[in-house]
Amino acid sequence: MRTELLLGTDTTRHIACTRVIIFGVGGVGSWCAESLIRSGIGHLTMVDFDRVCTTNINRQLMATTETVGQLKAEVLKERLLTINPSADIVAIPQMYTAETADSFQLDHYDYIIDAIDSLDNKVLLIRRACDSSATFFSSMGAALKMDPLKIDVAEFWKVKGCPLAAALRRRFKKSQIFPSKKFKCVYSEELLENKGELPLDEKGIPMRANGTIAHTTAIFGFTLAGLVIQDILKKQ
């Protein structure tokens, strides 16, 4: 009701018919998914192969002491259906890779959201998403960020100060295979340093990880969801 008051009946109905697919429902993607469902998106597909672990609890929406060990996409789906039981929500516990990419019919969606971390898979998804008919939005790196006022949106080639964006651009330039269209990204120029000690793996070896905090990853996710809703409104 409150969403319809703000956006109008026609736009709200259009939102309910919109099909969105999110790749990665971790620190950024999980908050994006919840915001989309609460905003009335009627068809949501979530792709994530990973399971909840204790290191996710500080920033991932569905990560609690009770969900550790469960598939992220599945447990998030259960939560989202308690918000809107009539929503068409599909959880795919799979990784987007060169081997699995052809199984995703990207042209079937109105919006594609990239919230994955793997550089190789992110490069592939960006290329495939830009070749599709869907509108595409991407999250750059949300780790080692803390200032909410430094989070911004820019076209990919205009993103500044983000190591992940720089690494992606190097990949595209090296291969000379570039995204076929422009797309917007959520990013931050802030780059802090880890201050705490790295956690150890099962063999006692320090894990490769960067510090993150809930409000930053949530703002990244909410901003991605906001871009979708704004775009729907603009097209009405």
Side-chain angles (χ1 to χ4, degrees), residues 7-218:
L7 301 179
T9 302
D10 290 343
T11 299
T12 303
R13 289 174 179 170
H14 191 77
I15 288 172
C17 296
T18 298
R19 303 179 65 86
V20 180
I21 184 168
I22 300 178
F23 290 90
V25 288
V28 173
S30 59
W31 299 97
C32 178
E34 172 132 343
S35 184
L36 289 172
I37 290 297
R38 288 188 183 274
S39 298
I41 290 293
H43 306 275
L44 179 65
T45 298
M46 301 179 296
V47 183
D48 197 307
F49 76 100
D50 208 1
R51 293 179 181 270
V52 177
C53 67
T54 55
T55 60
N56 302 148
I57 293 175
N58 79 311
R59 70 195 185 283
Q60 298 187 12
L61 181 67
M62 65 288 169
T64 69
T65 55
E66 295 182 352
T67 61
V68 169
Q70 298 182 42
L71 288 165
K72 292 180 181 180
E74 293 287 357
V75 72
L76 183 56
K77 175 183 175 179
E78 291 178 12
R79 173 185 170 87
L80 298 180
L81 285 173
T82 66
I83 297 170
N84 183 3
S86 64
D88 170 30
I89 303 175
V90 178
I92 302 178
Q94 192 173 34
M95 179 184 287
Y96 186 86
T97 66
E99 289 72 31
T100 64
D102 289 340
S103 67
F104 298 97
Q105 304 300 312
L106 299 183
D107 285 322
H108 291 180
Y109 299 93
D110 301 297
Y111 293 90
I112 301 167
I113 296 175
D114 158 41
I116 58 180
D117 298 324
S118 166
L119 189 61
D120 289 341
N121 298 337
K122 201 174 189 76
V123 166
L124 178 62
L125 178 59
I126 289 173
R127 287 174 177 156
R128 293 286 186 97
C130 287
D131 287 341
S132 76
S133 59
T135 300
F136 175 58
F137 299 118
S138 180
S139 172
M140 297 294 103
L144 299 177
K145 322 285 186 184
M146 194 163 58
D147 188 345
L149 299 181
K150 292 183 178 179
I151 299 171
D152 205 351
V153 175
E155 195 279 320
F156 172 68
W157 294 99
K158 295 181 180 179
V159 171
K160 299 178 181 178
C162 175
L164 178 56
L168 289 168
R169 288 195 288 259
R170 286 195 296 270
R171 287 289 187 96
F172 293 133
K173 290 175 181 177
K174 184 177 180 180
S175 68
Q176 288 296 297
I177 304 174
F178 297 96
S180 58
K181 62 185 177 185
K182 294 182 178 181
F183 59 96
K184 291 182 179 179
C185 301
V186 182
Y187 76 103
S188 170
E189 290 188 49
E190 184 179 27
L191 188 60
L192 303 175
E193 294 182 356
N194 287 317
K195 293 183 178 180
E197 294 184 3
L198 289 173
L200 303 180
D201 63 16
E202 296 177 354
K203 298 181 180 179
I205 300 173
M207 299 169 60
R208 295 181 61 185
N210 286 317
T212 52
I213 196 165
H215 70 264
T216 302
T217 57

